[in-house]
Amino acid sequence: MNPILYPAIERRVGEDPRVVARMGERRRQEVPREPLPAGERPAQPLPDPSDWTFDLIERYHKVIAETARRFGLDTYPNQLEIISSEQMMDAYSSVGMPVNYRHWSFGKAFLATERNYRRGHMGLAYEICINSNPCISYLMEENTTAMQALVIAHAAYGHNSFFKGNYLFRMWTDASSIIDYLVYARDYVARCEERHGYDAVEQLLDSCHALATVGVDRYRRPAKRSLARELAEREERRRYAQQQVNDLWRTLPTRSDKEGAPAEDERFPREPQENVLYFIEKNAPLLESWQREVVRIVRKIAQYFYPQRQTQVMNEGWATFWHYTLMNALYDEGYLTDGVMLEWLSSHTNVVYQPPIDHPAYNGINPYTLGFSMYRDIRRVCEAPTAEDKRWLPDLAGSPWLPALDYAMRNFKDESFIDQYLSPKLMRDLRLFAIHDDENEPTLTVGAIHDEEGYLELRQMLSRQYDVGVREPNIQVWNVNRRSDRCLTLRHVRYRNHPLADDTREVLKHVARLWGFPVRLESVDADGNGEVVLEVPAPDAA
Amino acid sequence: MAVQIIDRRLSGRNKSVGNRERFMRRYKAQIAEAARRAVSSRGIRDIEQSESVSIPRKDISEPTFHHGRGGVRDTVYTGNKDYVRGDTIERPQGGAGGRGSQASNQGEGEDDFTFTLSKEEFMELFFDDLELPRLMRTHVGDHRQWKTRRAGFSTDGTPHNLAVVRTMRQALGRRIALAKRPGRELAEMEAALAALVAKGEDDGDAAHALRQQIKVLRERLQHMPYIDPIDLRFRAHTRVPVPITRAAMFCVMDVSGSMDEARKELAKRFFILLYLFLTRHYEKIDIIFIRHHTQASEVDENTFFHATESGGTVVSSALELLARIIAARYPAGEWNLYVAQASDGDNFPGDSDDCSRLLAETILPQLRYFAYVQVAEEEQNLWQAYTALQAQFDNFAMRKVGAPNEIYPVFRELFRKEGVET
């Protein structure tokens, strides 16, 4: 499942749209050391007709909520929304957001989704869960009663508690402003389309989308803004933006004898800048103010999604672990019939199935499998640690499992989560092994495997595999030639000599369209040697 | 914990319509091309269907910065069976493996991007090409068959249409109205007479006069007719037009050597348009395909459009066949007959006069409409012969068509003659 389908949106609190969610609401609730005792056994299990009714959903939700409370899951209030498959596809194609600006690429995504779905190539996700307060979970009307129960456990309690607890979501998701911002973005883009024509806006958005992955600040958190402030600041930005680019236009030579005059060979910007879109927004000489604003909108939304990409394994694993645990607990307490049990188990098994490497369906490591197994494994290490576990995970072994899991969910992202918690037993169970692929060697080599000498190495490699900074090319703004053709130079630092893909030139054309002057990309290895250069000319004045 | 369950199924449908429109706009050229290809490969009857359209994936990709193949990689996989550290593996050909789950997301597959145009969107593109105004697509022309329908009551009619109840009601009303005043006067006079009798003036003049008047009044009331001709009401009927629900459409095309694929294509557009026009009018439409070179034959659609023939051209052969078919299978009283003829205007010298005679004497009087399109520029003998016909017959139209968008004027002609009086 696509990680960006779990956008973290926090809605306004209660009825009053002006009241901003306070951080206090995210205060963690005490996690019990072990599950609280169950109530009385019901006289008979909940009915399980295949067609759901609102009443049944409510009843299932009630027992799931009660069980989740016993396990100490801390969630936002839930809002379950029944939607049709078509609406699910709508949600899919507009990156899961309830509102967004219009762009053909979303239409394309919709068509692709629709086609796959209609042909039966792909089941739709059973649910989409939006991080908001209250937390909105979409249930598809096609689901059976058992599936609705599973989805409630998975989304409304699994994802929901992850959204509320994980530090990345707490740090990066802007409670009060994201919906406002998206509404603002949609309206602004629509107005631009009216004023400047579809084509101009579409081309600009295409170019911005091409750069969205390099349009994020990786370390600095942007300040929160409300809609009103956003509007006020836009006006201000409009006025100052043109002044800011004047540095590039300065043609009068500064007197070299003057104190503080920049040295001839000093680069602009002085430090390389990782956020290419931000640099363009602030410094591209030819952009009009509305274009700068659109660049900013794309950049802001990309920034908003950035933390989502870093917790896929953890988030899906957590939700899967909890639907598994909750549904089992319900069965043990006599709420579920055997039929419901078999149905959700069959679906669960499909979700966590990991095809082996030589299987035609193999498509990398299934994040559901990995995440689910890791949380299960943490629980195992807590409850029944072996000698090996005590050696590898000394802090974890034998501690109460609920607080341990809670801690693991709150304080990590995929990369650090794997680095911290992947146990030798799980590596053996999943039969992990690494393949070393050096393009200069004629053959591939098997590196570490799941044995004593390979555990540590495997864990590090797998952790790196989930590091967004490694997965994506490291491209920064390096220099602008202020003396002659205003050529913008980007620098790609190759990680272990990974080259850029073949369509990089296409992306550079988009950069040139935004920049308005020639663009070159230097690709160097980690030591700054082996330079490879791609250049594209300035776009035509037309 | 409180939960809110909201049924959203009825709200916010088609949220991505705007996005879809933008997509269609962007790829309009490719989509229109695909639609054009579909038109040429489809049967005339199947024209109003959805269509799936493919766009090469490279045209539609959204490039981003990402890694290509190469460099040094250590990738972790699952499902080790018998590898141990240090094993070497042949590099897989065709580049399988390698990138793991990322590979599938980058959309580098060779497949085209395929999606389905809805019926409406497809027709939109079809009509776009023809520059056909929207009004024309739904307009219903005039009719020749009539049906009578009840239309209230009237004061005249034939006895078998007499509306008895309505007539009796009229009569009762009339009688009440007419008897009211004489009745009241009668009562007054009788009261006066009774007063006179009570006073003992029984034989006086006044009493006498009163008795006389009372007698007259009584007679008048007695002579009031129980039913009168002005009471009569008849069920009224009116004639309303009904369409003949059947139509026969004859497609006549020259398949001689001079008709190349492009010209046939143009002719097909024309036939399709006529067919669509007729489907708006009639429930049942028979299409008869007649092709001719020096001889005419009735064929199926596929042969009609795709089989290649060569040779000379004798147009009258087709018209003779047409007349025979009409006489045998499609009597003009029961069918609405339409003929669409497409030709490049070339005809055997001397045959054109036969054609116009045949048309004028036998065929045109039976037809609703005869449309002739010439898919070539030169005015040859057939064109000249037909020009003379055009002046004589209202239901005859002819045009030269060089491109799809010129087909429409022929239909404008058609509609005007069929009387769009709006």
Side-chain angles (χ1 to χ4, degrees):
Chain A
M1 200 179 299
N2 194 336
I4 61 168
L5 291 182
Y6 297 93
I9 300 163
E10 198 175 12
R11 271 249 184 100
R12 299 170 284 257
V13 180
E15 297 302 308
D16 188 347
R18 286 161 302 174
V19 176
V20 170
R22 287 172 296 276
M23 286 305 272
E25 282 188 302
R26 298 189 140 171
R27 193 185 60 233
R28 56 187 288 187
Q29 160 187 314
E30 257 336 282
V31 179
R33 289 174 67 82
E34 51 193 53
L36 305 174
E40 238 174 80
R41 275 187 81 83
Q44 55 194 23
L46 293 169
D48 62 343
S50 62
D51 290 338
W52 56 268
T53 62
F54 285 100
D55 175 55
L56 270 178
I57 288 184
E58 217 157 311
R59 288 170 68 186
Y60 273 95
H61 174 264
K62 188 159 170 276
V63 293
I64 293 169
E66 173 54 27
T67 315
R69 193 189 57 78
R70 292 201 292 111
F71 284 98
L73 283 183
D74 180 24
T75 61
Y76 294 119
N78 275 302
Q79 179 168 325
L80 307 175
E81 300 195 353
I82 313 284
I83 61 172
S84 63
S85 56
E86 192 188 321
Q87 287 168 315
M88 185 62 104
M89 288 189 279
D90 273 343
Y92 251 71
S93 46
S94 54
V95 292
M97 303 304 260
V99 274
N100 211 337
Y101 55 84
R102 301 260 180 242
H103 188 249
W104 66 271
S105 61
F106 304 137
K108 170 186 147 187
F110 184 85
L111 290 170
T113 315
E114 187 183 30
R115 169 166 164 268
N116 285 337
Y117 179 61
R118 297 253 185 271
R119 288 212 187 152
H121 284 185
M122 163 186 133
L124 288 177
Y126 302 117
E127 48 44 75
I128 284 185
C129 185
I130 297 176
N131 174 18
S132 54
N133 185 6
C135 174
I136 299 170
S137 309
Y138 291 144
L139 310 182
M140 269 223 294
E141 66 174 336
E142 279 89 344
N143 293 350
T144 59
T145 310
M147 289 308 300
Q148 301 291 28
L150 180 67
V151 167
I152 292 170
H154 181 90
Y157 289 89
H159 285 306
N160 188 347
S161 58
F162 192 85
F163 290 145
K164 194 172 179 188
N166 183 268
Y167 86 103
L168 278 175
F169 288 89
R170 291 159 59 132
M171 190 169 94
W172 288 91
T173 58
D174 244 350
S176 52
S177 66
I178 185 63
I179 293 277
D180 269 356
Y181 192 77
L182 286 171
V183 169
Y184 159 75
R186 186 192 60 194
D187 294 347
Y188 190 81
V189 170
R191 267 213 309 287
C192 288
E193 280 177 343
E194 260 170 43
R195 191 171 301 170
H196 306 285
Y198 283 118
D199 291 325
V201 175
E202 182 177 289
Q203 287 182 1
L204 181 65
L205 280 174
D206 286 353
S207 299
C208 293
H209 284 188
L211 298 180
T213 51
V214 287
V216 293
D217 295 320
R218 277 154 219 271
Y219 308 106
R220 197 161 44 86
R221 185 185 197 285
K224 292 187 181 185
R225 286 191 174 83
S226 69
L227 176 60
R229 250 189 89 192
E230 195 69 53
L231 288 172
E233 283 182 11
R234 185 179 91 207
E235 194 45 39
E236 205 174 311
R237 274 200 304 278
R238 197 183 59 75
R239 273 189 276 118
Y240 285 108
Q242 297 301 350
Q243 298 174 8
Q244 257 193 311
V245 295
N246 282 352
D247 202 28
L248 292 170
W249 288 118
R250 189 168 292 136
T251 46
L252 286 175
T254 33
R255 295 175 58 179
S256 54
D257 54 291
K258 223 175 188 176
E259 197 86 18
E264 280 285 311
D265 56 348
E266 189 177 327
R267 290 203 321 264
F268 177 85
R270 277 188 202 156
E271 299 289 328
Q273 303 232 340
E274 58 170 1
N275 193 335
V276 179
L277 269 188
Y278 180 82
F279 183 82
I280 285 173
E281 180 198 330
K282 297 299 177 199
N283 297 295
L286 296 180
L287 289 186
E288 292 175 31
S289 60
W290 69 270
Q291 291 172 313
R292 287 182 209 284
E293 189 62 27
V294 172
V295 173
R296 183 182 168 81
I297 285 170
V298 174
R299 185 171 68 76
K300 293 284 252 183
I301 294 174
Q303 180 74 63
Y304 181 78
F305 281 121
Y306 180 62
Q308 322 271 332
R309 291 187 275 157
Q310 306 182 60
T311 53
Q312 189 193 12
V313 169
M314 285 184 76
N315 195 350
E316 291 305 345
W318 179 258
T320 310
F321 173 82
W322 279 109
H323 80 228
Y324 179 83
T325 309
L326 292 176
M327 295 295 271
N328 268 311
L330 286 178
Y331 182 70
D332 292 342
E333 286 151 28
Y335 284 106
L336 301 186
T337 60
D338 292 348
V340 171
M341 192 70 184
L342 282 173
E343 190 174 343
W344 79 257
L345 270 176
S346 128
S347 165
H348 170 85
T349 314
N350 288 337
V351 168
V352 299
Y353 175 61
Q354 172 67 63
I357 177 85
D358 51 359
H359 193 281
Y362 182 83
N363 186 19
I365 296 176
N366 179 348
Y368 287 81
T369 318
L370 182 62
F372 174 69
S373 318
M374 283 185 68
Y375 287 111
R376 290 275 295 161
D377 197 53
I378 293 172
R379 179 173 178 180
R380 179 191 63 78
V381 171
C382 290
E383 290 183 327
T386 61
E388 182 188 52
D389 294 328
K390 284 181 179 149
R391 206 166 69 246
W392 281 84
L393 302 160
D395 291 343
L396 197 59
S399 67
W401 70 275
L402 278 177
L405 270 177
D406 189 64
Y407 182 83
M409 175 271 284
R410 280 172 195 280
N411 300 304
F412 297 89
K413 54 183 169 184
D414 283 351
E415 173 197 353
S416 52
F417 179 66
I418 290 169
D419 217 3
Q420 191 71 27
Y421 288 108
L422 190 66
S423 77
K425 170 162 189 314
L426 189 57
M427 289 187 238
R428 286 195 301 274
D429 288 350
L430 290 174
R431 308 193 71 78
L432 296 182
F433 69 109
I435 287 182
H436 181 75
D437 175 0
D438 185 337
E439 61 180 340
N440 298 319
E441 303 285 328
T443 53
L444 307 176
T445 321
V446 176
I449 64 160
H450 43 87
D451 60 10
E452 199 61 44
E453 56 177 324
Y455 290 143
L456 205 56
E457 213 180 316
L458 262 187
R459 191 156 83 176
Q460 277 165 1
M461 280 191 261
L462 191 60
S463 157
R464 195 132 334 121
Q465 216 161 307
Y466 284 96
D467 183 350
V468 174
V470 170
R471 272 207 313 240
E472 289 169 7
N474 173 7
I475 292 175
Q476 309 204 340
V477 177
W478 186 252
N479 190 19
V480 175
N481 184 345
R482 283 183 296 169
R483 305 254 159 226
S484 60
D485 60 356
R486 300 196 178 85
C487 173
L488 172 74
T489 305
L490 302 176
R491 173 164 284 213
H492 171 228
V493 181
R494 291 196 294 272
Y495 172 77
R496 305 187 75 187
N497 233 2
H498 293 176
L500 287 171
D502 298 336
D503 60 353
T504 303
R505 180 171 287 278
E506 295 303 311
V507 189
L508 288 183
K509 284 183 192 161
H510 283 299
V511 183
R513 190 194 275 167
L514 291 174
W515 182 247
F517 293 101
V519 170
R520 65 191 248 132
L521 180 109
E522 305 169 352
S523 179
V524 295
D525 65 18
D527 304 325
N529 304 320
E531 191 170 275
V532 182
V533 178
L534 270 177
E535 268 181 295
V536 292
D540 296 338
Chain B
M1 189 177 287
V3 64
Q4 235 185 326
I5 303 178
I6 299 175
D7 191 350
R8 287 249 186 256
R9 282 171 293 179
L10 295 179
S11 64
R13 276 182 192 280
N14 293 326
K15 254 177 158 174
S16 61
V17 162
N19 296 328
R20 186 182 169 107
E21 273 168 9
R22 277 165 182 71
F23 177 82
M24 303 275 287
R25 211 182 132 268
R26 183 181 175 101
Y27 294 101
K28 183 149 193 192
Q30 283 104 316
I31 294 171
E33 171 62 21
R36 201 196 59 72
R37 259 184 281 119
V39 169
S40 59
S41 63
R42 275 182 186 191
I44 288 181
R45 284 172 192 286
D46 305 329
I47 200 73
E48 282 187 284
Q49 281 176 1
S50 53
E51 170 65 24
S52 98
V53 172
S54 298
I55 299 175
R57 199 171 278 278
K58 70 168 173 41
D59 291 354
I60 214 169
S61 69
E62 299 164 79
T64 54
F65 284 124
H66 58 268
H67 285 132
R69 202 178 300 276
V72 183
R73 286 162 202 277
D74 285 298
T75 316
V76 178
Y77 297 95
T78 65
N80 183 15
K81 294 217 170 84
D82 43 19
Y83 295 137
V84 295
R85 183 188 283 270
D87 281 358
T88 56
I89 306 170
E90 283 302 309
R91 209 174 272 279
Q93 293 304 307
R99 300 258 306 285
S101 67
Q102 268 185 310
S104 67
N105 297 335
Q106 303 298 348
E108 286 169 345
E110 294 301 309
D111 288 358
D112 285 353
F113 182 84
T114 308
F115 67 98
T116 307
L117 284 176
S118 71
K119 178 179 148 188
E120 287 73 23
E121 284 165 334
F122 182 79
M123 291 312 289
E124 196 67 42
L125 286 164
F126 178 79
F127 284 124
D128 243 21
D129 205 9
L130 297 170
E131 296 178 359
L132 190 68
R134 189 162 212 99
L135 170 73
M136 298 304 172
R137 295 179 212 175
T138 48
H139 179 76
V140 177
D142 70 350
H143 313 276
R144 274 190 181 172
Q145 272 199 345
W146 300 88
K147 179 173 99 173
T148 49
R149 207 181 60 191
R150 293 284 290 274
F153 297 92
S154 70
T155 51
D156 62 342
T158 52
H160 73 274
N161 273 335
L162 182 69
V164 177
V165 174
R166 183 59 72 109
T167 303
M168 298 314 286
R169 196 194 292 169
Q170 288 287 335
L172 182 63
R174 177 181 51 78
R175 275 182 274 120
I176 291 171
L178 291 182
K180 196 80 180 174
R181 189 159 165 204
R184 196 172 61 234
E185 286 172 3
L186 189 64
E188 281 167 8
M189 283 188 272
E190 280 178 342
L193 184 63
L196 288 178
V197 172
K199 280 199 273 180
E201 296 172 19
D202 203 0
D203 284 334
D205 284 347
H208 190 73
L210 269 175
R211 284 204 181 89
Q212 197 60 38
Q213 283 176 344
I214 286 170
K215 187 173 167 236
V216 172
L217 262 180
R218 282 230 165 95
E219 275 173 10
R220 245 173 72 190
L221 282 173
Q222 257 172 8
H223 282 110
M224 184 153 51
Y226 181 73
I227 194 159
D228 189 275
I230 64 163
D231 298 335
L232 295 181
R233 292 293 181 272
F234 299 89
R235 291 188 294 272
H237 291 89
T238 182
R239 241 161 45 112
V240 290
V242 281
I244 300 174
T245 52
R246 296 189 298 181
M249 169 178 160
F250 295 86
C251 301
V252 180
M253 186 165 69
D254 179 2
V255 289
S256 64
S258 51
M259 284 289 281
D260 57 19
E261 278 302 316
R263 287 173 170 179
K264 280 188 187 175
E265 188 62 30
L266 213 53
K268 183 171 184 182
R269 290 295 187 102
F270 176 71
F271 294 143
I272 287 174
L273 200 54
L274 181 61
Y275 176 73
L276 287 173
F277 165 69
L278 295 179
T279 54
R280 299 290 184 270
H281 285 63
Y282 304 108
E283 281 170 20
K284 181 173 184 293
I285 300 169
D286 276 12
I287 307 182
I288 301 97
F289 297 98
I290 298 173
R291 60 169 194 168
H292 70 91
H293 34 100
T294 50
Q295 288 167 348
S297 55
E298 188 183 347
V299 293
D300 64 29
E301 183 174 346
N302 194 33
T303 321
F304 186 72
F305 285 115
H306 299 296
T308 48
E309 290 275 345
S310 60
T313 313
V314 180
V315 176
S316 63
S317 65
L319 297 179
E320 274 164 20
L321 180 65
L322 173 69
R324 277 204 305 280
I325 294 175
I326 291 176
R329 281 149 52 193
Y330 299 102
E334 293 168 28
W335 292 80
N336 292 291
L337 301 174
Y338 290 82
V339 178
Q341 184 188 5
S343 164
D344 56 0
D346 191 19
N347 196 10
F348 182 72
D351 182 54
S352 296
D353 291 337
D354 288 347
C355 290
S356 58
R357 187 162 28 79
L358 202 57
L359 278 173
E361 289 171 9
T362 323
I363 299 177
L364 280 178
Q366 302 189 61
L367 294 188
R368 299 273 284 135
Y369 203 70
F370 187 105
Y372 170 66
V373 284
Q374 178 168 312
V375 289
E377 204 42 53
E378 322 87 73
E379 295 183 1
Q380 301 191 45
N381 49 20
L382 189 63
W383 180 266
Q384 284 148 12
Y386 278 7
T387 311
L389 279 176
Q390 197 177 16
Q392 297 171 32
F393 289 93
D394 275 351
N395 59 347
F396 184 89
M398 56 191 286
R399 284 279 164 166
K400 273 184 269 186
V401 173
N405 60 2
E406 292 169 17
I407 290 176
Y408 165 62
V410 178
F411 278 81
R412 195 160 50 193
E413 191 104 333
L414 180 98
F415 276 94
R416 194 168 59 229
K417 287 189 173 167
E418 296 283 321
V420 184
E421 276 129 15
T422 48

